[in-house]
Amino acid sequence: MRYRFSFDGYSPEEEAFYGTILTLGNGYLGIRGEVELEPSLYGTTIAGVYDYAPYFYREIVNAPRAVGLRLFLNGEPLSLSTQRIRRYERELDIGEAVLRTEVEVELQQGGTLGYESVRIVHGSRKEVVILKFRVKPGRSGTLTIISPINTDTVNPLYREEITAKHYRVKRHSSHDDAIYTEVETTDGRYRIGIASSLAVSCRHSRFIVKNTDGIAEVFQLDVEEGKEYEFIRYAVISYTSGKDDIEQPVLKKLRDAKNAGFDVLYREHREYWQELWSAAEVRILGDEEAEKGLLFSLFHLMQCMPVDSRISLTARGIHGFGYRGHVFWDTEIYALPFFMAVFPEKAREMLVYRYNNLDAARENARANGYRGAQFPWESADDGYEATPPAIPTDMTGKNAIRIYTGEEEHHITADIAYAVELYYRFTGDNDFMEKYGLEIIFETARFWASRVRYDKDKGYVIEKVIGPDEYHEHVNNSFFTNMMARYNLLLAARYLELSKENEAWSRVAEAAGVTEEEAESWRKIAEKIYIPRQMDGIWEEFDGYFELLDYTVDPYGLGEERLPAEIREHLSRTKLVKQADVIALQYLLKEQFDTENIRKNFDYYLPRTTHASSLSMPTYAIIASWLGYDDIAYNYFMKCAYIDLHNLYGNTKDGFHLATAGGLWQILFRGFCGVDISGDILEIRPNLPQGWEEVALRFRFRGSRIHLRIRKDRVAVKITGGKKLKIRVFNEETNLEPEKEVILEV
Amino acid sequence: MRYRFSFDGYSPEEEAFYGTILTLGNGYLGIRGEVELEPSLYGTTIAGVYDYAPYFYREIVNAPRAVGLRLFLNGEPLSLSTQRIRRYERELDIGEAVLRTEVEVELQQGGTLGYESVRIVHGSRKEVVILKFRVKPGRSGTLTIISPINTDTVNPLYREEITAKHYRVKRHSSHDDAIYTEVETTDGRYRIGIASSLAVSCRHSRFIVKNTDGIAEVFQLDVEEGKEYEFIRYAVISYTSGKDDIEQPVLKKLRDAKNAGFDVLYREHREYWQELWSAAEVRILGDEEAEKGLLFSLFHLMQCMPVDSRISLTARGIHGFGYRGHVFWDTEIYALPFFMAVFPEKAREMLVYRYNNLDAARENARANGYRGAQFPWESADDGYEATPPAIPTDMTGKNAIRIYTGEEEHHITADIAYAVELYYRFTGDNDFMEKYGLEIIFETARFWASRVRYDKDKGYVIEKVIGPDEYHEHVNNSFFTNMMARYNLLLAARYLELSKENEAWSRVAEAAGVTEEEAESWRKIAEKIYIPRQMDGIWEEFDGYFELLDYTVDPYGLGEERLPAEIREHLSRTKLVKQADVIALQYLLKEQFDTENIRKNFDYYLPRTTHASSLSMPTYAIIASWLGYDDIAYNYFMKCAYIDLHNLYGNTKDGFHLATAGGLWQILFRGFCGVDISGDILEIRPNLPQGWEEVALRFRFRGSRIHLRIRKDRVAVKITGGKKLKIRVFNEETNLEPEKEVILEV
């Protein structure tokens, strides 16, 4: 692969930032990028392993750390905050998913100590972590290496000083060739087994040490000035939610990895990533900077690709504890389209996760007085509402910000139904629709049918909600929410209609107890659902929005800090919008609006949007590209591409912004390349930014593998696998035959 | 001194227990007894250093640890949980306040490693901690010693997994002869400076290491099998609430200590403790076991003796985080009498602490709708109510036990007034009374005058309180509370009367705005205050108590675990009492009851008391000894004497039970020795337990130092300092001349 990202200079204050952007993961494990030579409270995140937590219901567990190392030369500890650093460089190779570290320090005893490492979180052996390192002593003597499994990792809660440790150590054991630790989450649901082994090829002494901080292998060896000494640390991290013994299987996997050896493991790992990158191939000729940021984002997105449906993609990935490892609408609306088009099996897992939690969503609806299934705003491993009702703002915890999203941000339920439909239309995955999708669509429609209230003047209204724009709480008739609810209701009614001609589907409908009368009521509600007024073609974001204090901001700015205090402290009284809301709806349901209406709304809402949410810019960028607002579109694309590399929101330390990464890909795919489904036909209407020569990318559509090369006025399409396909390019339909590239010009 | 306490066998599970009972302290610093060779989350408590905390308002800060050590021989870490232990012995010498540790382990490399240490928290140099240790390598090679200041200490919150770190590291600095760390509490109120230096006499290399866990000195030296190597670690721990630089003063104190050297420091320390023990001398001839437990308790009590009035004695001392370092009525009612009689200047500091917080108590009264001063049930460094309104019972914090004591346990305010009067009567400290005592008495009486409500049938009632028996919340007319309130009101009225003949006092009364009319209203309320009914001479604990379900328990049992579930879960519906309540009142105001009435109430309440509070047995024991119930009195005395050594309440790990220690001394002094003040006269009526030959003890009374030797039928009294004194022994008055022992027989 083309891109390597290098960073130099060690600073303890910046470690948390690098911790996120140098995270390695494989969808199962996440190991943050903090340098292994210093202590860290960050350990391992394991997708799907959660525990009860104060304030946050359940959160992803910070499991023990199995990559830390302590080195001593002649008793002097290698210490980056203490010794003078001659060289400190870290390089993330996103092609091979490898993190390299090079360090050279000046010892207090005189002379230098060099260290180089290669860190891998194995792609296909999901539980395997490898750290190969080389020590170069600048003077002769005794080298001591401590290679621990640290059990002192904790989750920070509402502030760094307050932490929760989510596991208890059940057992440490030592073996001739390994150490092993087993911990159990405080709720008893998960046991995690971790084995580690340091392979040392030269003569050495080996000791074991166990204490309240963990267990470690300790090695001591005589070293000579100027020589290099190589070590390979293998670790296996596994978990179970059952009663099964995991020590033996974990040790076996460790020995298997060790027997395979570094070179074989590295080859497997490279092959895994070559496959991913070849499926996700994307090139931007003429703008290396844009391509670099895009690939960096896709790399981190792919690192989070779920291994199964026990958990879906989370807001900040396996990279950190931001949003506590919860799943939001970010997943379905922002991240899923990339997977749907590139790794459709993974998009399916993500939706099956929602299906698996349908019972919890039903309970949630019942508890709130509704019918059907109401998905939680924030979802953890068990599918119950995990949004904190309040987050403390001081040490005593007495002062807190009340959080209403869990109680009011109901559009998530329609967003999931929307994603089901989008996935199905894009992939044609009938098996999915029959087994999972239909039931989700029916049950979510039922929720909306019970959520509306009939008002004799307005029709069906939806009161007391929060739309995507979270500055305005307890609003009535959010444009976004009501439109999505209507969409959801009609979708369900349409699928009941289609079921009449599909035996499998009709069985699903029958099992779900959906009748023609119910579908009729859905259509009736949809027809009479109240949509907020328009003024001059501008949709009112919710009832009363137009009466609020007007205030506009520079569309190239970002966040709330630029606002004067009197505005910032009273955002809910202003027309300012946190993120794309009306515009997000116009993106999702674009077929319901004409371009002029979209333009009017875009022109109106853009200067009123602060983009304080990282979900905002992608939507605006896509629509900007459709409208020919090239500067805005490109500017937002680049900001999204560098959101974490440049720490644009100041919170990169809490994890990677996955929704933005997914949104970035959508800017490219839906915006710049102009890919869409119109009816049953794939449509391409390029809107490439200035200076972009060509975008080349691969994706899959209804079983066909498609390779696109797009220029401003020329599109080359080729089916590299699959069957023939009709597509529309530059408004003209064309038939594609497999393996034959067709070139179309404007 | 006579007693040394030895413990052998290392077990990680028992470390928290030993942490408490092997704590060393000097009233300013507390260093728990966890062995220095293993990591520990326990650091240092500094009397008076608090910080805001979730749930608990403010809690005592777990400051960095400056006694930890890590040793490596030829790269092999000394690890008590890993190596086979040949010898592990810890000895607390309570005479010299020294903790000795001896360890010998079998190394994994073959051979042994021996370690011996002496730990001192210096008596007179309050900020100095010394650890002298000797290493005995069983084989030759390289010894590495890491001597860190650990900044990874945290306070456990409502459960061990959830912790708060109360400080941020401001600075680490290293010097040729020392390392230094400065931290600041999260509220910015306190800065703590810690310097440490390891003195090594033989040839060695020295390195510094700094990281997120702290800063350390690291030493490496060549050692020979069979030889002994001695090291002395000096540390200074100091704090400020001001803006002053503390690094230089702290380093200077460290260098002063180092220059003085171990032998001088040890001599000073021994002299300090010789003085304490000679002031607090107490011997029990004929019952070594009893004496041993008593001295152990007094040792820990004296270790907590406040250095000034910034903080008073806390419920669990400087020994742990139980009750978050808060001050309760435990201090005034249970612990203060010992200090009043033995270290009256310290009892004065404890009461001045209450005076210093009179403004906070006034605010507290105002906030609750009352006048005067209402002391908080739990008090931290700032005197505001620090009782948690609820304590969570699970990880999510959603389920919690509601705690009403902060809102309802109002008797504390009268308890403090009572202690002021007791202190004054015992010491005759006019200066205290004028500067502090009177104002407390007036302001607390004012509180009660506003706290009562007039009921036309009953008179003045006090509703919705909790008495000492916390099983019964929201009760009306608690016998204890109403009686103490009456006492408080009459006390204030009497002092206004006395002020008429005392110019200084009358100025105080005038400044406080106390008028004759106000005093008259106090007398009127006191006269008409409602006291719950008696039945057959039994005082009803509160209105309606007699209607509750009757249930009795074995008076020799302890706590609630022995109760059947249906009783344990509904304690408030039963007559069961958590701790002495009516009986506690009869102890405090004994002059208001005749012996027959006390006996009736004792006989009734004892079998209904679970002693689930550690405050219960002392009161019962004192009264039992008065009533001639020798078995009960002795049994409770022994239980109190071994409450922590035997971990009777199962929570010794959270700190020492100081109220019990103070109560134990009161059993001896007030119960077995029968010391009392009757009018202005010191009275002695011995009730020695079976088999006790003689009790010898020293105390101070109104400026005189008194030495007592008490036998069943013979009392020897001598004034060893001070003026002549009239006393009453065996109901006969006698005049004492200084330095002349008088022997009185029954």
Side-chain angles (χ1 to χ4, degrees), chain A residues 38 53-54 74-76 79 82 108 159 161-165 168 186 207-208 210-211 218 220 395-396, chain B residues 38 52-54 74-76 79 82 108 159 161-165 168 186 207-208 210-211 218 220 395-396:
Chain A
E38 291 290 316
N74 298 322
E76 180 177 352
S79 168
T82 317
Q108 296 170 44
R159 51 190 285 165
E161 294 96 345
I162 301 179
T163 58
K165 183 174 182 124
R168 300 190 192 103
T186 73
F207 311 110
I208 302 296
K210 286 181 263 189
N211 58 39
V218 181
Q220 170 140 324
M395 270 300 272
T396 67
Chain B
E38 290 290 316
Y52 290 112
N74 299 322
E76 180 177 353
S79 168
T82 317
Q108 296 170 43
R159 49 191 285 163
E161 294 94 346
I162 301 180
T163 59
K165 182 175 182 124
R168 301 189 192 102
T186 72
F207 312 110
I208 302 296
K210 285 181 264 190
N211 58 38
V218 181
Q220 169 140 324
M395 271 299 272
T396 67

Side-chain angles (χ1 to χ4, degrees), chain A residues 231-491:
Chain A
F231 309 87
I232 306 174
R233 180 173 187 176
Y234 300 88
V236 167
I237 303 166
S238 183
Y239 82 96
T240 178
S241 53
K243 298 269 166 239
D244 47 317
D245 166 60
I246 52 171
E247 178 165 1
Q248 291 316 315
V250 165
L251 287 170
K252 183 176 182 311
K253 283 172 197 161
L254 181 77
R255 285 162 190 150
D256 288 349
K258 227 176 144 176
N259 288 337
F262 181 81
D263 293 342
V264 169
L265 295 172
Y266 191 23
R267 201 187 60 227
E268 293 170 357
H269 180 68
R270 265 201 316 256
E271 283 165 5
Y272 171 85
W273 276 95
Q274 271 162 10
E275 257 181 58
L276 290 197
W277 278 120
S278 106
E281 187 187 320
V282 43
R283 305 202 59 155
I284 301 172
L285 294 179
D287 193 341
E288 194 175 300
E289 201 60 15
E291 184 179 282
K292 210 169 158 176
L294 173 67
L295 295 179
F296 187 78
S297 300
L298 295 184
F299 169 70
H300 281 295
L301 198 53
M302 289 192 291
Q303 289 205 114
C304 301
M305 200 150 69
V307 289
D308 55 36
S309 60
R310 277 182 288 187
I311 193 70
S312 183
L313 216 69
T314 70
R316 296 300 199 91
I318 38 79
H319 294 66
F321 303 111
Y323 296 106
R324 333 309 304 178
H326 293 171
V327 181
F328 292 69
W329 73 313
D330 303 37
T331 299
E332 281 78 9
I333 299 299
Y334 292 86
L336 187 129
F338 165 75
F339 292 98
M340 174 187 85
V342 180
F343 302 102
E345 322 76 44
K346 295 299 171 182
R348 177 179 159 130
E349 299 279 18
M350 287 152 69
L351 292 169
V352 172
Y353 160 79
R354 294 295 192 180
Y355 178 84
N356 289 342
N357 288 314
L358 210 43
D359 276 341
R362 287 189 187 101
E363 265 187 58
N364 192 26
R366 257 12 118 254
N368 297 332
Y370 307 123
R371 283 183 293 117
Q374 178 187 8
F375 285 102
W377 176 244
E378 300 187 21
S379 187
D381 58 337
D382 65 358
Y384 290 95
E385 182 59 74
T387 309
I391 295 182
T393 53
D394 64 11
M395 270 300 272
T396 67
K398 280 182 188 164
N399 298 305
I401 298 174
R402 182 77 168 79
I403 308 285
Y404 290 99
T405 52
E407 290 145 64
E408 299 185 3
E409 201 154 349
H410 290 178
H411 65 79
I412 174 90
T413 293
D415 303 337
I416 290 167
Y418 177 93
V420 165
E421 168 67 358
L422 182 67
Y423 168 79
Y424 179 60
R425 286 179 66 199
F426 209 88
T427 61
D429 183 349
N430 280 307
D431 180 68
F432 168 81
M433 204 55 171
E434 180 189 326
K435 284 191 186 143
Y436 311 109
L438 274 181
E439 196 174 337
I440 294 177
I441 289 171
F442 290 143
E443 285 289 77
T444 49
R446 270 188 177 140
F447 164 71
W448 291 112
S450 70
R451 179 63 181 80
V452 298
R453 182 181 72 79
Y454 187 72
D455 176 280
K456 67 176 170 34
D457 297 323
K458 293 182 166 171
Y460 290 98
V461 295
I462 302 179
E463 292 159 318
K464 211 179 171 197
V465 298
I466 299 175
D469 164 23
E470 294 168 348
Y471 289 160
H472 300 96
E473 297 163 330
H474 337 302
V475 304
N476 296 335
N477 297 309
S478 141
F479 177 73
F480 185 98
T481 308
N482 290 21
M483 290 289 286
M484 289 297 282
R486 181 165 77 182
Y487 175 86
N488 196 163
L489 288 161
L490 290 175
L491 193 65

Side-chain angles (χ1 to χ4, degrees), chain A residues 512-553:
Chain A
V514 183
T515 61
E516 184 48 40
E517 294 71 53
E518 189 170 19
E520 186 48 41
S521 80
W522 292 341
R523 273 189 293 266
K524 202 191 85 193
I525 295 168
E527 192 187 313
K528 296 199 178 167
I529 209 162
Y530 174 76
I531 303 297
R533 61 184 164 164
Q534 267 183 298
M535 239 201 261
D536 268 344
I538 315 296
W539 295 98
E540 185 170 34
E541 194 185 282
F542 52 82
D543 286 356
Y545 171 85
F546 284 147
E547 272 77 58
L548 297 173
L549 176 73
D550 201 14
Y551 194 85
T552 57
V553 289

